[in-house]
Amino acid sequence: MEIGKLIEDRAGSQIVSASGDMPVREAIALLAAKRIGAIPVMNGDAVIGIFSERDVVYRLADEGEVCLTRPLAEVMTAPPISVKPTNTVLDALALMTKRRIRHLPVIDGDAMCGFISIGDLVKARLDEIEHEAEALRTYIQTA
């Protein structure tokens, strides 16, 4: 399955994001309020980085609470690793495993059209496997 198929029912306007000048403290509040683990950091329509729970933990460990007043552009993970809508779910899972990340922006041309998590990909893969198993059961029963 292609990533584009996975995100086709999602509205791009529903993607929670932040600007690079947002203070870390506000971004943490946004993550908590939305119950999400990461957000793309934007400069206009361009994704310039990803801010995640890991970024918070690493910065707090290194700098203490002074990092909470810094802008996201100074603490985010950059450059962002991304996928295209034409990449497959398995391609994205392999990339996430190799790079040890859990979120990917989906970039079509120069614009972000989606933001996926490893949970989205695992669910899609499990649904695909279940569909294949059901098709095999039906085939065996009718053969």
Side-chain angles (χ1 to χ4, degrees):
M1 174 190 292
E2 289 186 349
I3 299 297
K5 179 77 172 157
L6 178 67
I7 64 169
E8 71 183 356
D9 295 333
R10 299 181 187 179
S13 62
Q14 294 178 337
I15 299 171
V16 177
S17 64
S19 64
D21 61 351
M22 177 184 275
V24 170
R25 184 181 310 275
E26 288 180 29
I28 291 170
L30 182 60
L31 291 176
K34 298 293 185 178
R35 300 184 54 80
I36 54 178
I39 50 177
V41 181
M42 310 293 291
N43 182 10
D45 291 336
V47 181
I48 58 172
I50 306 293
F51 179 72
S52 71
E53 298 160 323
R54 287 183 183 173
D55 294 314
V56 174
V57 170
Y58 295 153
R59 291 300 176 152
L60 281 172
D62 286 347
E63 303 172 18
E65 67 182 64
V66 69
C67 74
L68 298 176
T69 59
R70 295 179 62 195
L72 289 184
E74 293 179 11
V75 301
M76 67 187 180
T77 300
I81 299 164
S82 64
V83 290
K84 297 177 183 176
T86 55
N87 287 113
T88 67
V89 166
L90 289 176
D91 291 340
L93 281 168
L95 178 61
M96 287 178 156
T97 301
K98 179 180 177 186
R99 299 300 297 264
R100 301 182 51 88
I101 56 176
R102 298 178 299 182
H103 299 86
L104 289 169
V106 183
I107 307 294
D108 190 10
D110 292 332
M112 181 174 64
C113 60
F115 194 65
I116 56 173
S117 71
I118 197 161
D120 297 327
L121 299 176
V122 168
K123 182 186 180 314
R125 186 66 182 127
L126 289 174
D127 290 347
E128 193 173 43
I129 290 168
E130 182 57 38
H131 178 72
E132 290 170 2
E134 183 58 34
L136 284 172
R137 280 192 288 275
T138 302
Y139 174 76
I140 290 169
Q141 291 172 351
T142 59

